[in-house]
Amino acid sequence: MVALLPLVLLVALDAQATRAQRPAPNPARDPFFTSTMKPEEIRDKQAVLETSEGVIVLDLLADAAPTHVAHFITQARAGAYDGTVFHRVIAMGIIQGGDPLSKDPTQSAKYGTGGLGRLRFEANAEKHTRGAASAVQVPGNRDSAGNQFFIVVTDQPALDGQYTVFARVVDGINVAQKISTTPATNSVPAARVEIRNVSIRDKPAAESEPFASTSIEELSSYRAVLTTTLGDITIELFPDRAANHVRQFLRLASSGVYDGTLFHRVVKGFVAQTGHLPTRREPLSERQQSYVHMLQPEFNPTPHERGIVSMARLDDPASASSSFFIVLGRSPALDHQYTVFGRVTAGMDVLEKIENATLNGEAPVTRIELSGVRLVRQ
């Protein structure tokens, strides 16, 4: 005999079956990006931004903002940034780009509104110092970042803790600075400044600094030709007396650090001084800045007489870095107080012209520029 189920139970089972046949409502979709990348897949990566004004290279800060970095890598590899523009610029302040709407010139009225609402705020200790790259947010909503980002061209401490810093410029800050000064109306560039391509690469191994391991004998073979607005001056170097100062000078010269600095101080019969970085026409790149170090003194018995080249410093004997002077007359008070590292072997007539320049105090009235330093092997 077949057992009969109670009518109530049959009705209940039928109701369950009916409910099972009905499609369940879709759960609300989480709008926020979730990375599927492993930590090792986002560490030690760089982003190379090829723009219409030059190349900007970013170190991606995976430890500080892992979700933002994973999102940026994912979007870059998908081509999301290719053809977008820097749609907002503040001269010597910031440049903003990455909006996917900016690929379409006809959507210019909407630039700045696209590609947001995908990332939650990631607090970290990174500061908005020159070269920091941060995620753009909807005003008043920290959890609203996405594709858009901005790069600070000068320190912006007021932004610290307000936006997620996820990268830093390691090359091309001068390109970013140039973009920031693009002619603009109400911060909107007059012409398209395009991000043509963004690629992701492994961070290159650190390179040793130029001349770091060059022998004294090889260092001695270099001559430095200072090209000035009044002519050329050739310098013989003394690595046997001040090896670290010579290495630093050659490193700065070969990387263009001295290009565009002034002979900012001339005291007749005493010194003509140049290489002071604040007098430079353009700020240093990240690579150039990394070569500027404070030097321990290497005082030596060489007397400070006309034509001697010596490194300038502040009160601290270990504060020499880039600025140097050429002696215009015997100055025993400088002996054993400043590090001699070379002497003029040609161009004394040019040095005389610099010495006889019309001055306002100690500053030449007419700009006398060190436009470059050319290194020559003997």
Side-chain angles (χ1 to χ4, degrees), residues 39-376:
E40 59 269 24
E41 294 180 295
I42 63 174
R43 287 200 187 101
D44 297 321
K45 298 295 183 183
Q46 291 183 331
V48 181
L49 282 62
E50 298 176 24
T51 82
S52 53
E53 299 297 330
V55 175
I56 301 171
V57 180
L58 302 175
D59 264 356
L60 300 176
L61 307 178
D63 290 337
T67 303
H68 280 67
V69 168
H71 180 264
F72 189 89
I73 291 174
T74 300
Q75 293 299 300
R77 287 176 173 166
Y81 296 111
D82 301 353
T84 61
V85 301
F86 287 102
H87 62 272
R88 180 172 179 250
V89 298
I90 297 176
M92 303 305 295
I94 69 166
I95 59 175
Q96 180 177 334
D99 185 344
L101 295 177
S102 68
K103 293 187 178 188
D104 184 355
T106 67
Q107 298 292 312
S108 59
K110 297 181 180 178
Y111 291 179
T113 65
L116 299 173
R118 300 284 287 129
L119 294 168
R120 292 185 175 89
F121 181 74
E122 286 185 283
N124 58 51
E126 296 292 333
K127 304 297 184 184
H128 285 81
T129 51
R130 176 176 164 87
S134 280
V136 173
Q137 301 166 180
V138 175
N141 183 1
R142 277 184 159 188
D143 297 333
S144 61
N147 283 39
Q148 292 187 53
F149 62 92
F150 64 90
I151 297 172
V152 299
V153 174
T154 52
D155 293 357
Q156 303 293 330
L159 304 181
D160 293 347
Q162 305 302 310
Y163 298 85
T164 299
V165 177
F166 69 91
R168 289 197 177 278
V169 175
V170 293
D171 195 16
I173 192 64
N174 290 349
V175 175
Q177 179 172 306
K178 181 181 178 182
I179 293 171
S180 82
T181 59
T182 299
T185 301
N186 296 326
S187 300
V188 178
R192 285 178 68 84
V193 181
E194 190 168 293
I195 302 172
R196 292 172 175 165
N197 176 259
V198 176
S199 58
I200 304 298
R201 70 184 186 191
D202 291 335
K203 184 177 179 179
E207 298 179 358
S208 60
E209 292 186 337
F211 301 101
S213 59
T214 307
S215 68
I216 299 297
E217 181 180 5
E218 188 175 349
L219 291 173
S220 299
S221 69
Y222 283 94
R223 299 293 181 270
V225 181
L226 312 185
T227 299
T228 82
T229 49
L230 296 179
D232 289 352
I233 299 172
T234 301
I235 295 174
E236 173 190 9
L237 301 170
F238 298 154
D240 57 325
R241 308 176 203 184
N244 289 332
H245 281 66
V246 169
R247 292 183 202 280
Q248 174 102 325
F249 177 81
L250 291 174
R251 186 178 299 130
L252 301 186
S254 65
S255 62
V257 167
Y258 288 122
D259 298 2
T261 57
L262 292 182
F263 279 89
H264 65 282
R265 181 179 182 230
V266 177
V267 181
K268 191 175 179 65
F270 184 47
V271 298
Q273 187 172 339
T274 186
H276 186 45
L277 298 182
T279 70
R280 201 173 185 273
R281 282 188 180 274
E282 298 289 339
L284 298 178
S285 69
E286 300 76 14
R287 180 177 61 87
Q288 290 172 324
Q289 186 64 59
S290 72
Y291 294 155
V292 181
H293 309 302
M294 295 296 186
L295 294 165
Q296 291 297 319
E298 295 178 288
F299 301 148
N300 56 70
T302 310
H304 283 77
E305 56 193 14
R306 188 172 181 84
I308 283 294
V309 183
S310 194
M311 195 66 83
R313 63 172 175 82
L314 302 175
D315 291 338
D316 183 351
S319 60
S321 60
S322 66
S323 184
F324 63 93
F325 58 88
I326 303 175
V327 181
L328 300 176
R330 179 72 178 104
S331 302
L334 302 179
D335 295 347
H336 303 286
Q337 302 299 313
Y338 294 84
T339 299
V340 172
F341 67 93
R343 70 179 169 198
V344 174
T345 58
M348 293 298 285
D349 57 325
V350 176
L351 187 60
E352 186 174 350
K353 291 177 184 177
I354 295 172
E355 182 178 18
N356 292 325
T358 302
L359 304 175
N360 179 11
E362 295 181 345
V365 172
T366 301
R367 183 181 178 94
I368 302 175
E369 186 170 297
L370 175 55
S371 55
V373 180
R374 186 172 76 256
L375 301 182
V376 180

